[in-house]
Amino acid sequence: MRHYLTIGVAGHVDHGKTTLVKHLTGIDTDRNPEEKRRGLSIEAGIAAWSVFADVGLALVDVPGHVDFLKNAIRGLHRVDLALLVVAADDGVMPQTREHLDILQYFGTRGGLVVLSKTDLVDPETVEIAKLELEDLLEGTFLAGKPMLSFSNRQPPDIDIITHALREEIARLPRDSHPGPFRLWIDQVRQLAGIGTVVSGTVAGGGVHEGQELEILPAGIPARVRSMECHGGRVTSAVGGQRVGINLPKIPLAAIARGMLLASPGAHPGSRLYNAALRMRSAPQGVLKHGQRVKLYVGTAVHQATTHLMGRVHLRAGQKGLVQFRLAEPLNAALGEAFVIALLNRNQVLGGGILLERTRQKYRPAKHDAVVPFLEALEARDIPACADVLLQKNAHRLLSAQDLADATGLPGGPLEAEVNARVHRGDLVYVKGHGAIRKDHYDRHRDVILANVASALEQDPFHRGLAAAEIKDGLPPGMDPVLLGSLLADLVRSGKLEKSDGHYRLTASLAVSDARRTHLLDHALAAAEGIGLCPFSEATLLRACTVAIAKAELQKVLSYLVRQQKMIRLNNGRFLTPAALETIKARIRHQIRHQGGLRLADSKGLLGYGRMGAVPVFEYLDQVGFTIRQGNERVLKEKTNGEPAVL
């Protein structure tokens, strides 16, 4: 399968970068009239180089003049390899050093060094230039790389360069560029008959015709109508590929260089980013706590205030953790590289990696809580990152994807880490949702049991707690899926029982309360002594032979109703099950011998009149014992037409 790479052609102004690109590709990347007039590159120019059948190459020729540093940084933001061009007559110059540092900050992984204009100096000067370059490149990604020569009178040997490049390409891992699609826009054009076209290099995922996308930070929905790669029509593009995308119905004024084209919802914006920063080794002054800088991420440029963590300043060559506070949201992927420059002049201060998107402003008091996680992220220490996130998220389930979203680390190793911990018993896994530390899970179980027991202790006749009431007794932010798993686990293990949507301790765990049993027995005895007449709470209170408060009796009655040892009628009065059975027997006899039951029959049949009888008769209708027909009630028939025997 063909894969795609971008090669950054970097170096000081007038060192021959554009000439080299033209020799290699036949393309002059200085296209606009101002570049022709001034004889130097202003914008980053793109040239396709079809030298390998299995690898698509795009050369990015960046301007070397300090006045166009912004365009050089944007052009080098996503290059896999570099061609560092140094003129033999000048040697190492300020932008040689600066471009090399920029390439390192952006994670360039290899390349070649090209010594240009060798025809303008003697062999001894060429050797001195090579020695100077070797000193400059020591400890960098270009240390020990091939150093090739070329001049206008002696064009580069294409075979030598392609052979050296082939070896460099072979050393690079075949990145799969996983994750959602994203592309930093570096060119925007309006083409007649086509519409708005944006260009850039695919930084992650893939894209295809018809795909729905989002333009950030504006949040404009967009759709891919068509695509081109170096002038040829394509239907899809993958990570590392340079592509132009036609976005229909999007006005030119709505899009600008520096915006991100991405899968919808995949890259949330933030004004706060925690990052790892390394200052340039060259003496560029001091970065102070609270200093404002230009922050370059992808092709975006933002003003940001730097808040150093545990430091008051960073000097040349030093590194540290920093929080960037931006005036406008930045939609960047975690792990994305950045460069910072002075606000008032074109000078790179340093660069690094965005580690965390956050909502919390850094405060010195939070140092010990914030820094360990950032250090683990910087080291790409998967177990340490998992430790911190699983500890912090004590009330929710985390999947491997959740961990990947929070860290920017690859999902595969994170999933393996989670699986290993589940296998060891360190995590409890809820299928399809994620995992939580076992000690957190067990603590939640204990709290739930304690809360249910406490409710029973305060009210021995409590019907139990609903899930919402149990959640109220737990720390805020409890994951509903986790709560459901905990309750199901407690029911399954016999610690809780569920009835009518309420949870209570099982009989084996419920505390045997002598007074509770005493009150229940006396309340039942008093109710049975009242007989067939429905009674109120007040009537039962007078009938009890033991001292009991009204509120306590209400709890007793509610408990007995739940246990089906007492029947509550529609008017709030009560009957015992034994009394109801006697009433049903009398009514059954009445209907079978008289053909029906009227309210007027209640006095002779039950001993009380209409007011007491109506709730009783309505209850019997409700439970399906009788059915009303006009002014009479009859026994409800079975489905076969025979009278019901109830």
Side-chain angles (χ1 to χ4, degrees), residues 212-279:
E212 300 295 328
L213 300 174
E214 184 178 20
I215 303 167
L216 301 169
I220 302 170
R223 181 181 60 82
V224 179
R225 178 158 62 191
S226 61
M227 294 187 292
E228 284 192 357
C229 180
H230 299 303
R233 179 74 178 269
V234 293
T235 58
S236 63
V238 297
Q241 189 170 0
R242 178 89 192 164
V243 66
I245 301 177
N246 176 213
L247 303 175
K249 300 181 181 178
I250 304 295
L252 184 66
I255 311 179
R257 178 168 51 180
M259 287 184 166
L260 183 70
L261 188 63
S263 297
H267 298 285
S270 178
R271 289 183 171 89
L272 300 175
Y273 281 88
N274 294 331
L277 169 66
R278 182 183 291 276
M279 297 288 286

Side-chain angles (χ1 to χ4, degrees), residues 406-417:
T407 62
L409 297 173
L414 284 166
E415 185 172 5
E417 179 69 21

Side-chain angles (χ1 to χ4, degrees), residues 304-461:
T305 304
T306 56
H307 287 255
L308 302 177
M309 299 185 183
R311 308 287 290 268
V312 294
H313 60 255
L314 284 176
R315 298 187 184 277
Q318 292 183 329
K319 66 177 184 176
L321 297 171
V322 61
Q323 182 174 91
F324 292 116
R325 299 182 185 176
L326 295 82
E328 299 295 331
L330 169 66
N331 300 83
L334 298 183
E336 189 128 37
F338 68 86
V339 167
I340 60 169
L342 289 171
L343 194 63
N344 55 356
R345 66 180 186 272
N346 291 324
Q347 189 175 81
V348 171
L349 284 175
I353 299 293
L354 298 178
L355 299 175
E356 182 183 29
R357 189 184 301 114
T358 181
R359 296 180 180 178
Q360 301 296 321
K361 289 185 175 180
Y362 170 78
R363 307 292 186 201
K366 299 178 180 178
H367 183 86
D368 291 343
V370 172
V371 168
F373 180 52
L374 298 180
E375 290 176 339
L377 285 172
E378 183 181 10
R380 300 182 69 82
D381 186 335
I382 286 177
C385 289
D387 283 342
V388 173
L389 289 173
L390 289 165
Q391 172 61 30
K392 285 171 60 176
N393 289 274
H395 311 123
R396 60 179 290 232
L397 298 164
L398 291 179
S399 65
Q401 187 59 53
D402 293 329
L403 296 176
D405 291 343
T407 62
L409 297 173
L414 284 166
E415 185 172 5
E417 179 69 21
V418 170
N419 289 341
R421 295 185 184 212
V422 171
H423 183 72
R424 292 197 305 265
D426 297 337
L427 300 179
V428 175
Y429 178 71
V430 177
K431 187 175 181 180
H433 295 280
I436 185 172
R437 277 177 43 161
K438 189 174 187 304
D439 56 337
H440 293 326
Y441 188 86
D442 290 344
R443 184 167 66 252
H444 293 322
R445 281 171 47 107
D446 293 343
V447 169
I448 291 171
L449 285 173
N451 289 349
V452 175
S454 176
L456 181 62
E457 183 178 343
Q458 296 172 30
D459 177 6
F461 308 103

Side-chain angles (χ1 to χ4, degrees), residues 579-590 605 625 646:
L580 185 66
E581 287 303 314
T582 300
I583 290 170
K584 287 165 69 176
R586 292 185 181 184
I587 289 174
R588 185 184 296 112
H589 183 271
Q590 163 78 13
L605 192 64
F625 180 74
L646 297 173

Side-chain angles (χ1 to χ4, degrees), residues 86-98:
V86 182
D89 58 342
D90 275 348
V92 174
M93 296 293 283
Q95 267 56 64
T96 310
R97 299 179 185 277
E98 197 160 41

Side-chain angles (χ1 to χ4, degrees), residues 34 42 173 178 379 435:
E34 183 65 14
I42 296 173

